[in-house]
Amino acid sequence: MYFKFTFCPIILLLWASLSFAQNVNVVIHGAASIAKTDDNFVCVTLDWWPAEKCDYNQCPWGKAGILNLDLRYGALINAIKAFNPLRIKVGGSLQDNVVYKVGEVSSCPNFMKREDGLFGFSQGCLSMERWDQLNRFFNHTGVKLTFGLNALFGRNESQTEKGLWIGDWQPQNTRDFIQYTISKGYKVDSYEFGNQLSGSGMGAKVDAKQYGKDVIVLKNLVKELYAHPETQPKVLGPGGFYEEKWFNTFLEVSGQGIVDGLTHHIYNLGPGGDPNMMNKILDPSYLNQVSQTYKGVSDVVNKFRPQLGAWVSESGGALNGGSKDVSRTFADGFWYLDQMGMASTYDQKVFCRQALIGGNYGLLNATTFVPNPDYYGALLWHRLMGSTVLAVTKESDPNLRAYAHCAKKKPGVSLIFINLSKDRSFNITFSNAKPEDAGKPNYEFVGKQNREEYHLRALTGDTKDDIVCLNDVPMVQTDSDDIPAMDPKLVDASTPISIAAQSIAYVTIRDFEAPACV
């Protein structure tokens, strides 16, 4: 980053003022929550991909994989520390091809390009020396860790059905790995069993009944090795794309109390090479389609009631490394933040972004470690949006998206507004919804305390910018690689909230009376 801007160009303000403004009243239903997220809802992944991973005639991973990422960079450390804490999931497509160099495993091969290998690569290895380095890094940065385990160890690919892996999972290598982890005192919040092995699978698949039996083995192993329940990591699965029949079968086989959290993946924008990517991101009807997946997963959770509910344990928007023209830009936030809002309304407890770093969809640039625009959107969500989710209703253009939570720091409520429109701004007022049994209509809310507003816009007004402005200040790391201050703009509560065209805004209202937030 060679230039550091101290302000956003004035053209943004002129452009915003010339756009057509529509008045909208937003009703916040604060009497009762509609869902609950985990306190650490925002999550990111670290992936196994080596530098040789290429898609669409580009190789965007560089040295951002788990085995070759330089953990000493101050920019990387500070970006993680800013969340205090950040939930990280270690895993990805190659995790079911990783052996752990511990116990009886003596050789430790590197991933190599191999045409007949899983996802085009040979088996790879995690040495305990690298595991030690990673854990020192996780401890230093305060990471809340989920680790994705190899669920294909000991199986063989079927000779009669391509992609199907058969036989019982062999747990010895995982047992040795967990024992080593315990002996070193490393903290693991949860273990996820396998990656994208559900349903039709991605590269590989496992029968639902077989997976159900094997996850019981893993659960019993974790209970055996972690003697004290309070230190026992949770077991998550299946970490794949939702298919109703497969999910139901595996949960029927595993039974109650085995899988603590039901994990699934979302890539609703399709292949990263799609030239229509921007149109998808800005189309509210397209963004709404994925709600059917959230509803399906929610129905399964309500049926089997895993302790931790449902998690989106991987979501990068666009498959195969993301879109080189969109994923690293301000425009991607229209998809990303909308998905977090939608997922939370369907009671998804955690939302893991693929990836913290690597590919085109990293929150950080893979070579400079400079945060991309989505990083700042995620950090604001983590700091402002509490775990209690409230219903929001409005009558307006569907290009205005709105989600409300109890404020993370009490009192009050926090909202996020996403304006997909290219030429229309919105002036927003609020109403407070009365409980239905009160027999009274909603009433207009006029606050007495200043609102806290955080407006996010692209630097030049072009949504493909890779620099975001917060309240007209460009978000650029300091000379010491610290995350810049992200202070709110205090606004007179008697005035409407103005959401500029193609912008995103977080708003916290401290004196809004919401019984669900008390």
Side-chain angles (χ1 to χ4, degrees), residues 243-265:
E243 290 189 20
E244 181 181 2
K245 183 178 178 181
W246 195 99
F247 271 57
N248 274 281
T249 300
F250 119 71
L251 287 168
E252 287 167 355
V253 171
S254 61
Q256 295 283 342
I258 299 298
V259 175
D260 299 295
L262 186 71
T263 54
H264 67 109
H265 294 180

Side-chain angles (χ1 to χ4, degrees), residues 233-471:
K234 307 297 188 294
V235 172
L236 312 174
F241 293 105
Y242 172 69
E243 290 189 20
E244 181 181 2
K245 183 178 178 181
W246 195 99
F247 271 57
N248 274 281
T249 300
F250 119 71
L251 287 168
E252 287 167 355
V253 171
S254 61
Q256 295 283 342
I258 299 298
V259 175
D260 299 295
L262 186 71
T263 54
H264 67 109
H265 294 180
I266 294 285
Y267 281 91
N268 58 311
L269 296 179
D274 186 351
N276 197 39
M277 188 68 61
M278 183 65 78
N279 290 334
K280 289 180 176 179
I281 284 177
L282 294 175
D283 183 351
S285 61
Y286 185 90
L287 295 177
N288 288 341
Q289 291 175 14
V290 74
S291 64
Q292 294 304 308
T293 297
Y294 289 128
K295 183 180 184 305
V297 172
S298 181
D299 289 344
V300 173
V301 167
N302 290 335
K303 180 178 179 181
F304 292 97
R305 300 191 179 282
Q307 176 188 350
L308 301 182
W311 291 23
V312 179
S313 64
E314 185 178 316
S315 184
L319 283 161
N320 300 326
S323 168
K324 67 181 179 66
D325 297 321
V326 178
S327 295
R328 292 178 285 189
T329 71
F330 177 79
D332 197 63
F334 296 132
W335 159 77
Y336 177 42
L337 299 176
D338 182 67
Q339 282 303 293
M340 289 207 291
M342 187 184 300
S344 65
T345 65
Y346 281 93
D347 212 28
Q348 310 288 294
K349 305 303 183 183
V350 171
F351 192 98
C352 296
R353 166 67 178 258
Q354 171 82 346
L356 171 63
I357 188 167
N360 291 308
Y361 41 33
L363 293 186
L364 307 179
N365 183 287
T367 55
T368 66
F369 299 89
V370 169
N372 289 320
D374 280 353
Y375 171 88
Y376 294 104
L379 184 55
L380 283 173
W381 182 292
H382 180 74
R383 291 178 175 179
L384 302 176
M385 306 292 275
S387 59
T388 301
V389 186
L390 306 175
V392 173
T393 55
K394 60 183 176 60
E395 293 182 6
S396 72
D397 188 316
N399 284 304
L400 178 65
R401 323 282 280 185
Y403 302 98
H405 291 219
C406 295
K408 193 156 195 176
K409 294 182 179 179
K410 294 182 178 181
V413 298
S414 290
L415 302 99
I416 180 171
F417 296 100
I418 302 167
N419 186 354
L420 303 176
S421 176
K422 296 178 181 180
D423 56 10
R424 179 169 298 181
S425 61
F426 294 95
N427 293 326
I428 296 171
T429 56
F430 293 100
S431 291
N432 196 339
K434 286 294 186 180
E436 292 182 6
D437 58 2
K440 297 179 180 179
N442 302 332
Y443 66 92
E444 182 181 0
F445 168 78
V446 178
K448 296 180 180 179
Q449 296 183 27
N450 286 340
R451 292 190 304 267
E452 300 164 21
E453 297 187 6
Y454 304 78
H455 292 266
L456 300 172
R457 299 173 181 167
L459 176 66
T460 65
D462 182 349
T463 57
K464 287 191 176 181
D465 277 340
D466 61 2
I467 295 179
V468 59
C469 293
L470 170 61
N471 295 334

